[in-house]
Amino acid sequence: MMGDLTTNEGQTWANNQNSQTAGARGPVLVQDYQLLEKLAHFNRERIPERVVHAKGAGAKGYFELTRDMSDYTMAGLFNGLGKKTPVITRFSQVAGEAGYPDTYRDVRGFAVRFYTDEGNYDIVGNNTPVFFINDALKFPDFIHSQKRDPKTHARSQDMQWDFWSLSPETVHQVTMLMSDRGIPASYRMMHGYGSHTFKWVNKQGEQFWVKYHFKTNQGVHNLSNEVAEELRGKDTDYLQNDLYNAIEDQDYPSWTVAVQIVPYKAGLDYSQDIFDVTKVISQKDYPLIEIGQMVLDENPKNNFEDIEELAFSPANFVPGIEASPDKLLQGRLFGYKDAARYRLGANYEQLATNRPKNEVHNYERDGLMAQNQNGDVNYEPNSLGGPEENRHAEVHGDALDGKVGNYSVNEDYYTAAGKLYRLLPTDEKARLIENIKSNLGQVKDIKIKIRETKQFYQADKEYGTRVAEALGLELSLIK
């Protein structure tokens, strides 16, 4: 027994079954404060959904360091063999709304927050090591093409393939999306990636470039189109429920965490731009180094408070980890926190799920829903003993040179997609072609089909030829 039912002001609630009325047949009285408050709160119970990654599920757990990385970074969570750091994760779909079925073909978000002793550190990635675009300026247009047609209000193959066919940097990710990994069988059974290149700095000031890899210990498993469609009709929350039920059954999912480390100068001189998120760094050149295990062993106590109010940001770094010149990453450093302020309010970082485990000391004050404020000095510099800056956390800058302008990366976008195609087993190649046929084949405008197929052909002649044959295009149109 939890005690008396009360209002949010703590007053005892006498009757939660019937409104106050003037006599048995009414009308309802305006003085029924409890009715009015209940309806008013109900009208405001929904917050704006995320513009992207609206549908998702999350869980809590820990990261345990199995290899000390203090030679490469001063970040505490990566220093000290056996160190455990609490984590919270969120897995998601990119394009669909909050009620969208889990088993549509889509990239999956893979976001991890580490509640470190030095503040929150977020890795906000996907289940693919690359992305569709490499410049934040194109992100709103890309997402618009994945959403609903402004006229028909329906998802449109024409829109997304039109954008992809006019954006050659997308061909690597499109190939991944149309391959088997486009429909994971479980959030537990997919890899995760930080995707971008980041910077690590050790206590001596030495700098390194780093890529994050989360390798599922459950094995990678994907769904066929047929099974995915069948599940879609039975359980729209299939992936969410699979994760929740596994943890409830104490079948705790885990991932081996590894990194690729590239010496600072070698990264700048690498054969391709390591800051272009449409490409990978070859593991032959820089093999994976296993550094730890991530285990998820706790479901949310309250999904709204723990997961829906959770606000990740790639800008959440701790000393020893910094941003790189990746143009898409640079835009995300602003975009995520700004989205959180719109969705949750100015003080979203004071919500329990976003609050760091160490104490917060700064001069930000007031605003909507401000909590835990005191009467201490609210300006800086001051002579009243307020918090002071610590140069230990200072960013280690990169040398810059060049004229201000709007630059295109202007690189080869096809080689990586061709390599990926040639790595696929024969049966997966066949499914890739069939998936492209069933999706691109729905596009009404033949010019879009030709443009996209030309990209596949430039990636690999066999790849493009097979797509052309599947779509019934003359080869002369794509060569």
Side-chain angles (χ1 to χ4, degrees):
M1 184 71 177
M2 296 184 66
D4 291 343
L5 179 67
T6 70
T7 68
N8 285 329
E9 301 287 352
Q11 301 116 345
T12 301
W13 196 309
N15 191 322
N16 193 36
Q17 311 305 317
N18 305 290
S19 304
Q20 290 183 29
T21 57
R25 300 188 67 176
V28 174
L29 301 179
V30 174
Q31 75 176 33
D32 192 346
Y33 151 77
Q34 291 163 343
L35 166 67
L36 300 184
E37 286 298 297
K38 190 174 184 180
L39 293 179
H41 189 280
F42 179 75
N43 288 342
R44 294 162 176 80
E45 282 183 358
R46 293 295 171 265
I47 59 178
E49 71 176 29
R50 295 167 173 89
V51 178
V52 286
H53 297 276
K55 178 74 180 290
K60 302 177 183 180
Y62 62 88
F63 166 73
E64 182 172 3
L65 190 69
T66 58
R67 177 169 178 158
D68 180 86
M69 300 305 289
S70 55
D71 287 344
Y72 302 99
T73 177
M74 68 178 104
L77 77 160
F78 298 131
N79 287 195
L81 193 65
K83 175 141 190 176
K84 281 190 175 183
T85 302
V87 301
I88 190 167
T89 62
R90 186 174 185 268
F91 311 104
S92 54
Q93 277 65 256
V94 171
E97 300 89 359
Y100 225 66
D102 281 356
T103 55
Y104 271 101
R105 184 171 298 278
D106 199 354
V107 174
R108 264 56 182 191
F110 194 108
V112 183
R113 166 165 295 163
F114 301 83
Y115 293 101
T116 85
D117 298 330
E118 303 169 293
N120 292 343
Y121 174 47
D122 293 352
I123 297 176
V124 193
N126 290 318
N127 70 328
T128 57
V130 298
F131 196 61
F132 294 93
I133 55 173
N134 53 21
D135 192 319
L137 188 67
K138 296 185 73 169
F139 188 76
D141 298 290
F142 163 61
I143 294 300
H144 287 169
S145 77
Q146 306 298 297
K147 293 288 189 176
R148 295 180 179 272
D149 185 294
K151 182 177 182 181
T152 66
H153 199 56
R155 292 288 298 277
S156 168
Q157 294 283 357
D158 297 80
M159 289 169 58
Q160 68 177 5
W161 286 101
D162 187 33
F163 180 89
W164 289 340
S165 70
L166 292 167
S167 306
E169 67 269 33
T170 64
V171 68
H172 194 186
Q173 177 75 306
V174 169
T175 300
M176 290 187 186
L177 177 60
M178 293 295 145
S179 72
D180 286 357
R181 76 173 78 185
I183 314 179
S186 167
Y187 289 137
R188 301 176 293 123
M189 299 172 184
M190 65 184 193
H191 295 326
Y193 303 88
S195 298
H196 300 287
T197 298
F198 297 93
K199 186 197 290 183
W200 275 6
V201 185
N202 65 19
K203 288 183 178 178
Q204 291 72 45
E206 296 175 295
Q207 303 177 62
F208 305 86
W209 305 114
V210 63
K211 290 267 196 181
Y212 294 103
H213 300 250
F214 294 76
K215 298 295 186 178
T216 176
N217 295 327
Q218 290 70 238
V220 173
H221 298 278
N222 301 300
L223 298 175
S224 67
N225 290 326
E226 294 73 25
V227 172
E229 187 172 354
E230 180 183 350
L231 290 172
R232 201 176 303 150
K234 293 180 178 179
D235 183 0
T236 57
D237 302 322
Y238 176 78
L239 296 182
Q240 168 193 283
N241 294 339
D242 170 82
L243 176 67
Y244 183 91
N245 293 333
I247 295 174
E248 286 296 290
D249 293 339
Q250 299 184 355
D251 180 14
Y252 301 134
S254 64
W255 286 260
T256 296
V257 184
V259 293
Q260 288 177 281
I261 295 178
V262 184
Y264 186 86
K265 182 68 165 55
L268 299 178
D269 296 336
Y270 193 59
S271 59
Q272 65 187 38
D273 185 356
I274 67 168
F275 310 121
D276 180 353
V277 74
T278 68
K279 299 180 177 65
V280 297
I281 296 176
S282 171
Q283 293 180 29
K284 292 180 181 178
D285 296 335
Y286 296 99
L288 295 184
I289 301 171
E290 184 177 321
I291 66 170
Q293 295 287 315
M294 183 177 77
V295 179
L296 301 182
D297 59 2
E298 182 183 348
N299 278 315
K301 295 286 192 302
N302 179 286
N303 193 76
F304 184 84
E305 288 192 11
D306 290 340
I307 306 301
E308 191 61 21
E309 290 189 320
L310 183 59
F312 292 100
S313 172
N316 286 338
F317 295 116
V318 293
I321 307 173
E322 299 175 6
S324 76
D326 180 325
K327 291 170 71 173
L328 183 64
L329 172 61
Q330 292 281 321
R332 296 179 75 204
L333 300 180
F334 164 76
Y336 278 65
K337 285 184 176 288
D338 188 57
R341 280 186 281 269
Y342 162 72
R343 192 170 66 89
L344 299 167
N347 291 300
Y348 74 91
E349 288 160 317
Q350 295 180 20
L351 296 169
T353 193
N354 298 318
R355 200 178 303 145
K357 62 187 287 189
N358 56 321
E359 288 190 16
V360 172
H361 303 286
N362 59 45
Y363 299 97
E364 292 184 1
R365 288 292 188 274
D366 307 335
L368 293 175
M369 305 299 288
Q371 302 173 52
N372 305 315
Q373 298 196 118
N374 54 35
D376 291 347
V377 59
N378 64 349
Y379 59 88
E380 197 276 335
N382 63 74
S383 59
L384 302 175
E388 298 179 355
E389 61 197 19
N390 184 339
R391 295 300 174 88
H392 164 72
E394 200 163 50
V395 170
H396 296 70
D398 303 307
L400 302 177
D401 181 33
K403 185 178 179 180
V404 172
N406 301 89
Y407 292 98
S408 169
V409 176
N410 205 14
E411 281 197 8
D412 166 27
Y413 293 119
Y414 304 111
T415 298
K419 286 180 179 178
L420 174 60
Y421 174 79
R422 290 186 289 276
L423 283 173
L424 297 177
T426 301
D427 58 339
E428 188 170 352
K429 284 181 180 175
R431 291 191 293 271
L432 169 66
I433 303 303
E434 183 58 34
N435 290 335
I436 292 172
K437 176 185 176 182
S438 63
N439 287 271
L440 181 55
Q442 297 178 45
V443 172
K444 303 177 187 69
D445 190 341
I446 192 172
K447 294 192 295 295
I448 296 174
K449 295 179 181 178
I450 293 171
R451 281 199 305 264
E452 187 67 40
T453 306
K454 279 184 176 181
Q455 292 187 22
F456 297 139
Y457 187 81
Q458 290 184 71
D460 182 275
K461 291 182 179 180
E462 177 193 295
Y463 185 12
T465 299
R466 292 181 66 177
V467 171
E469 291 172 347
L471 296 174
L473 300 175
E474 294 182 15
L475 292 181
S476 61
L477 296 174
I478 66 165
K479 290 185 177 180

